[in-house]
Amino acid sequence: MSIRIRLTLWYVSLLAVILVTFSVAFYTVLQYSLTTELDRSLQERAQQVAVGIQALNNPLDILRFGVIRLPELDVFSSRSIYIQITDAQGEVIKRSPNLMGRALPIDQEILNSLHAKQPIIKTVPIGTMEMRLYSVPLVSGDDVLGMVQVGNPVGEIQATLRRVLLFLVSGTIIALVLATLVGVWLVYLSLRPIERITETANQIVSAEDLKQRLPVPPTDDELARLSRTINLMLERLDNFFQAQVRLSADVSHELRTPLTIIRGNVDILRRMGDSPADREEALNAIESALNRMARLVSDLLLLSQADAGMTLKMQPIDLDGVILDVFQQAHALRNGVELKLGHADPARVFGDADRLKQLLINLMENAIKHTPTGGSVTLSVYRADDHVRISVADTGAGIAPEHLPHIFDRFYRVKGQRVKGSGLGLAIAKWIAEAHNGTLTAESEPGIGSTFILTLPLLKDDVQTDG
Ligand code: ADP
């Protein structure tokens, strides 16, 4: 069932419940008040007749002579009010003229209440119509003198109630029909923008053009927010696809160079394989190309595992050991660059020692690569309140400000450099830092040097012993 139909149904059902409840309540209250009003006027009229009788008679005379003088009933009756007076046995002794010879009914129930000296009010059939009949005994002391009956046909009230009922039922039906029509129209109007969004989104999908965006309505409502969210999603999808495309381009580009080297050297081996010196040279070139490929493949594998949510083998570790290992391994690469151990605060962190070493060696390797002979690279550890900062500072070429924000991107390399690399090292380093809830940042001044700073949270008990 579409939202449009569901909304309309909800809305119309709610309105129906409200209208029906209101109509039932209104009808009940009206019926009750009309009947009570009629009963009250009958009682009042009977009271007037009784007072009239009392004014004309002395109760003692009535008892003594058994004669009762009665007032003229047409004074009390009206077009629709009928009056009848009976004696103590229920025999009619006077009727209002508008009864025209007919009698008001006296049934057993009325006689019983006459004898019990109780007034009674009830609806009785008279001919084809119904009448509200109030019968009140005339009592003097302990004696029943007779009974006054006042009746009023309920036809008028019933007619009024019928008219009101008709009005309520037809009104409810008309209101519901109108509400359905207006509701359908309103829901159509308010859902139309969603349809437009769906259409545009469909067009974008079928055109496979993730550069397109949905138009955002100027209002700041749910639909504007929906469009903005979809646009954001499109942007992320677009970035993701572009990254995919870039990745395969970058990977194939990266693999092409070593493959070309290998192929060239295999050719050389085939043609001039006799000379041991040539062979050695060709094999060395092949080996270094293979190493480069192996490194690239393992870097890519690591990054894809990182993307897939790989978790590290975290445990409490002393940084001293890690720093020392990194420093020793870096010695093998130093290539005429002086390696210094700077400030070395002891610190314990929760981490994966191998990954942290990989990160730091990467920073050291980069620093050494980009520092000319005679320059220096300093590795330092500083403790602060709840974290530790490990910095790798070099006196090398530095990084131009326009490149600095991008060096942690995958496959980003500063062009035209003497030293070549895949551009994945810093991306991996950053991922390792973040997997440790840490950060990796770079500061650099071209011509003076760069400093890479790894910040890691200290192990909790280490923070306490420190404090
Ligand atoms: P690569 O494996 O190519 O070195 P990285 O991700 O490690 O890739 O580094 C990205 C780029 O950042 C490099 O191309 C290099 O230009 C720059 N870079 C990294 N470290 C330094 C440094 N210590 N000094 C100068 N430039 C650096």
Side-chain angles (χ1 to χ4, degrees):
M1 201 190 288
S2 75
I3 292 187
R4 193 176 297 176
I5 296 178
R6 248 183 298 161
L7 274 181
T8 315
L9 275 184
W10 269 109
Y11 160 70
V12 172
S13 324
L14 187 68
L15 190 68
V17 170
I18 293 173
L19 283 179
V20 169
T21 315
F22 169 77
S23 303
V24 169
F26 181 75
Y27 186 82
T28 316
V29 169
L30 186 70
Q31 190 181 34
Y32 174 78
S33 48
L34 284 179
T35 316
T36 340
E37 179 57 27
L38 178 65
D39 291 357
R40 209 179 48 74
S41 76
L42 289 180
Q43 282 165 2
E44 231 168 51
R45 202 53 64 90
Q47 187 64 33
Q48 287 167 1
V49 177
V51 168
I53 292 172
Q54 270 158 12
L56 288 176
N57 293 281
N58 179 345
L60 274 178
D61 288 351
I62 301 174
L63 285 177
R64 217 178 298 139
F65 309 116
V67 176
I68 183 165
R69 278 192 288 161
L70 295 174
E72 280 313 310
L73 288 184
D74 53 356
V75 178
F76 300 102
S77 68
S78 64
R79 194 174 56 81
S80 59
I81 291 191
Y82 305 98
I83 301 172
Q84 172 173 287
I85 298 171
T86 71
D87 62 13
Q89 280 67 48
E91 289 300 324
V92 179
I93 49 179
K94 192 150 193 169
R95 300 185 186 116
S96 59
N98 59 358
L99 271 169
M100 292 192 271
R102 287 171 300 167
L104 293 178
I106 301 170
D107 59 16
Q108 195 52 48
E109 200 185 355
I110 295 177
L111 284 177
N112 289 347
S113 61
L114 170 65
H115 295 139
K117 299 171 201 153
Q118 290 297 327
I120 178 171
I121 191 154
K122 60 187 290 196
T123 307
V124 291
I126 171 166
T128 51
M129 55 179 192
E130 287 197 320
M131 176 171 277
R132 196 77 178 149
L133 183 64
Y134 181 63
S135 313
V136 59
L138 287 168
V139 181
S140 170
D142 277 346
D143 301 303
V144 179
L145 306 178
M147 172 169 70
V148 177
Q149 288 187 293
V150 183
N152 193 342
V154 289
E156 230 166 75
I157 291 183
Q158 280 171 342
T160 309
L161 286 175
R162 261 197 309 276
R163 273 197 301 276
V164 169
L165 188 65
L166 185 73
F167 173 78
L168 288 176
V169 170
S170 53
T172 303
I173 291 173
I174 293 173
L176 286 181
V177 170
L178 279 181
T180 310
L181 294 178
V182 174
V184 167
W185 176 241
L186 281 182
V187 172
Y188 168 74
L189 275 191
S190 48
L191 290 187
R192 208 166 45 168
I194 292 195
E195 228 140 71
R196 247 181 277 137
I197 291 175
T198 315
E199 260 167 42
T200 323
N202 258 335
Q203 278 166 13
I204 293 175
V205 172
S206 53
E208 289 182 17
D209 181 6
L210 292 174
K211 290 266 174 291
Q212 273 191 55
R213 293 290 176 267
L214 294 175
V216 179
T219 47
D220 187 29
D221 54 10
E222 290 84 350
L223 294 174
R225 282 201 292 279
L226 176 67
S227 307
R228 270 200 293 270
T229 310
I230 294 181
N231 281 345
L232 221 68
M233 205 173 72
L234 283 171
E235 196 171 320
R236 292 197 61 178
L237 274 178
D238 189 27
N239 287 346
F240 178 74
F241 280 125
Q242 279 182 19
Q244 284 297 90
V245 171
R246 228 179 13 242
L247 182 76
S248 19
D250 286 339
V251 171
S252 25
H253 182 81
E254 283 307 312
L255 288 176
R256 212 169 47 194
T257 318
L259 282 175
T260 315
I261 294 173
I262 291 171
R263 186 179 296 132
N265 281 284
V266 169
D267 272 354
I268 291 174
L269 278 180
R270 238 190 230 122
R271 275 188 279 123
M272 313 186 271
D274 297 347
S275 145
D278 287 349
R279 210 170 63 204
E280 188 61 27
E281 196 181 330
L283 284 175
N284 280 345
I286 289 174
E287 190 181 15
S288 98
L290 282 175
N291 284 342
R292 193 169 154 189
M293 277 169 70
R295 166 106 184 250
L296 177 70
V297 170
S298 78
D299 281 356
L300 277 173
L301 185 69
L302 184 71
L303 276 175
S304 65
Q305 283 170 338
D307 288 345
M310 176 176 65
T311 47
L312 302 181
K313 292 190 215 83
M314 309 282 269
Q315 58 188 47
I317 44 173
D318 281 318
L319 273 185
D320 303 4
V322 174
I323 297 290
L324 218 63
D325 274 2
V326 170
F327 199 71
Q328 275 166 359
Q329 283 190 39
H331 253 268
L333 312 163
R334 72 182 187 279
N335 202 12
V337 176
E338 187 190 0
L339 295 191
K340 295 192 220 166
L341 202 52
H343 201 85
D345 285 337
R348 275 163 69 73
V349 296
F350 192 64
D352 181 329
D354 287 341
R355 293 293 174 214
L356 285 178
K357 274 184 215 166
Q358 181 183 6
L359 186 169
L360 291 172
I361 285 175
N362 211 317
L363 295 183
M364 293 291 284
E365 213 180 321
N366 273 348
I368 293 168
K369 264 199 306 195
H370 295 283
T371 303
T373 314
S376 69
V377 173
T378 313
L379 180 62
S380 323
V381 182
Y382 294 90
R383 276 182 75 127
D385 308 334
D386 58 352
H387 61 270
V388 56
R389 263 185 314 123
I390 305 155
S391 69
V392 176
D394 64 52
T395 58
I399 305 161
E402 67 267 26
H403 295 302
L404 202 55
H406 303 291
I407 52 169
F408 295 103
D409 295 349
R410 292 179 188 188
F411 290 109
Y412 190 87
R413 281 161 307 181
V414 177
K415 290 212 173 60
Q417 275 177 342
R418 182 176 47 87
V419 276
K420 300 266 183 287
S422 67
L424 290 176
L426 285 180
I428 292 174
K430 195 171 177 72
W431 169 72
I432 295 174
E434 285 167 0
H436 282 80
N437 291 326
T439 55
L440 178 62
T441 54
E443 296 162 3
S444 185
E445 255 184 78
I448 293 181
S450 318
T451 307
F452 284 78
I453 299 164
L454 167 68
T455 310
L456 296 174
L458 275 177
L459 201 66
K460 275 213 171 53
D461 53 4
D462 201 23
V463 177
Q464 279 157 10
T465 50
D466 191 43

